[in-house]
Amino acid sequence: MTGPMGGAPPALDRELHHPTRLALAAYLSACGEAEFAVLRDYCQVSDSTLSKTLSALEKTGYVSIRKGHLGKRPRTWAALTLTGRRALDRHLAALEEIAATARRAAEASEPEGSGS
């Protein structure tokens, strides 16, 4: 598949394409690290779903996981790695390019004098 100008289409990151993974990476990009419950509530997913998502992103090197205790209670924190931050930046740039290409195509197909 090629883009509308004959070049390669923008490269979306397969690991960040899923909405939960993208939301998680975006949230983590705005903070140093976040606690598991905060991420679960932000993404509005179950503990199990968040655990699987974090594990998948950790395997790719996009997220680092830190376990510890707050008082006597076990806690898990996650942080976006430099690799993850770079992947997110590339993924967002690819999404922006897709949107810009669609806008250019729509503008090119508008009839003359349509006034929109």
Side-chain angles (χ1 to χ4, degrees), residues 1-10 101:
M1 179 174 152
T2 60
M5 303 299 183
T101 300

Side-chain angles (χ1 to χ4, degrees), residues 22-34 39 78-81 84-86 88-89 92:
L22 181 57
L24 182 63
Y27 187 89
L28 290 173
S29 74
C31 60
E33 72 178 2
L39 295 171
L80 195 62
T81 64
R85 192 169 303 279
R86 288 178 178 157
L88 177 62
D89 288 345
L92 294 176

